[in-house]
Amino acid sequence: MDKIEHIGIAVKNLDASNELFRKLFGAPAYKMEEVLSEGVTTSFFKSGPNKIELLAGTNENSPITKFIEKKGEGIHHIAFAVDDIVAEIARLKSEGFTVLNEVPKKGADNKLVAFLHPKSSNGVLVELCQEIRD
Ligand SMILES: CC[C@@H](C(=O)O)C(=O)SCCNC(=O)CCNC(=O)[C@H](O)C(C)(C)COP(=O)(O)OP(=O)(O)OC[C@H]1O[C@@H](n2cnc3c(N)ncnc32)[C@H](O)[C@@H]1OP(=O)(O)O
Ligand SMILES: [Co+2]
């Protein structure tokens, strides 16, 4: 696993949080994207070399809606950049982690993504991200 690719933060109201984080970072979101398969709308901010992903749920079954119901707003996941997501999924499975989707799926910002169940990683939802190459 390489560097942290982004930190995902669950929010109730994306417009209100976009404004809050604009004030925090002194610059607006550089991108917004809906990911239908995850039931989320997202926005992305830069903080120096780091990337913050805000996520709001778009339906009641969305992982974000369910997370906020249980735990409230806040840090939802940490995403790590990987070179070869298929190899990394196999490696982490063999190390005993529970991989939530063994077939990588399309995430936001031109990435293939996979998740590890937080119960297998000390309560932290881990996302693996591989840049989609043309
Ligand atoms: C925008 C696309 C992409 C990107 O490109 O960056 C994204 O980031 S998408 C982000 C949203 N998508 C996901 O989170 C997909 C992976 N998540 C899941 O599959 C599920 O959320 C889950 C982790 C399997 C939990 O689902 P489920 O079991 O249906 O929900 P429960 O509410 O019953 O939770 C069970 C258990 O797990 C705890 N939990 C849930 N989410 C988290 C979390 N983010 N961090 C830590 N713990 C989490 C939850 O509190 C429950 O615990 P207990 O109450 O102790 O049982
Ligand atoms: Co993410």
Side-chain angles (χ1 to χ4, degrees):
M1 270 200 240
D2 298 332
K3 60 170 188 156
I4 290 179
E5 209 285 327
H6 64 264
I7 293 177
I9 298 178
V11 304
K12 288 181 184 164
N13 180 322
L14 195 61
D15 288 338
S17 295
N18 280 341
E19 180 54 13
L20 184 75
F21 278 76
R22 183 192 66 73
K23 289 181 194 160
L24 183 66
F25 295 131
Y30 64 89
K31 185 172 188 174
M32 285 183 70
E33 192 175 336
E34 181 167 10
V35 181
L36 288 172
S37 59
E38 297 299 308
V40 297
T41 47
T42 62
S43 58
F44 292 99
F45 289 81
K46 284 196 175 100
S47 167
N50 303 305
K51 177 170 149 188
I52 302 294
E53 177 184 74
L54 302 186
L55 305 109
T58 53
N59 63 60
E60 62 188 19
N61 294 318
S62 163
I64 299 301
T65 309
K66 288 166 89 177
F67 177 85
I68 289 175
E69 271 167 17
K70 279 204 170 162
K71 297 190 189 246
E73 294 179 300
I75 294 182
H76 178 260
H77 61 269
I78 301 182
F80 295 91
V82 299
D83 261 351
D84 181 343
I85 195 165
V86 172
E88 200 60 16
I89 287 170
R91 184 184 75 80
L92 292 168
K93 253 187 90 178
S94 76
E95 293 285 7
F97 292 93
T98 305
V99 179
L100 284 163
N101 58 297
E102 292 191 21
V103 177
K105 53 187 173 180
K106 176 120 175 34
D109 212 13
N110 200 40
K111 303 282 189 302
L112 285 175
V113 301
F115 290 88
L116 306 185
H117 200 292
K119 296 283 182 203
S120 74
S121 45
N122 282 175
V124 177
L125 176 62
V126 171
E127 177 183 338
L128 311 175
C129 288
Q130 181 195 305
E131 191 86 38
I132 295 175
R133 305 156 190 131
D134 296 324

